[in-house]
Amino acid sequence: SGEAAVAPQPDRRLDQGVFYSGTWHEVVRNPMRLTDGCVVGETRFTLEPGGGIFQRDSCRMGSAQGREKVIAGPVTILDRATGAKFRTDY
């Protein structure tokens, strides 16, 4: 009824070593210019020595055999209380 929906908030701190590690395969995405024409998307998080986190997003152009498109950069945790909100500096 006109009220904006509020995203649910985490009730406890995330285990960053688990949540921000490994490869996450894309099931669905919001449309954005950066990924126009992309399929088979994935995000790969890497824990770096010293505690940093690095994010690599990739997809294939047009088909699963298409040219790989990659953007990558370091992750900055925005919500230190839970570790659930972050920004990637591409």
Side-chain angles (χ1 to χ4, degrees):
S1 68
E3 290 184 33
V6 176
Q9 299 300 305
D11 63 354
R12 64 184 177 278
R13 182 162 182 73
L14 293 176
D15 180 343
Q16 291 182 9
V18 173
F19 191 77
Y20 295 112
S21 66
T23 302
W24 294 67
H25 297 279
E26 182 177 88
V27 175
V28 67
R29 82 169 78 96
N30 288 324
M32 60 182 166
R33 188 177 58 198
L34 187 62
T35 57
D36 282 351
C38 280
V39 297
V40 192
E42 71 177 30
T43 297
R44 184 173 305 151
F45 291 104
T46 306
L47 299 176
E48 300 190 320
I53 303 168
F54 190 81
Q55 179 179 358
R56 179 185 189 274
D57 288 326
S58 66
C59 62
R60 298 288 176 165
M61 297 302 296
S63 75
Q65 292 76 36
R67 177 183 58 85
E68 184 180 44
K69 183 176 184 177
V70 175
I71 55 173
V75 169
T76 301
I77 302 297
L78 301 175
D79 178 6
R80 289 282 173 197
T82 65
K85 296 178 184 177
F86 69 95
R87 176 186 77 233
T88 303
D89 298 315
Y90 295 113

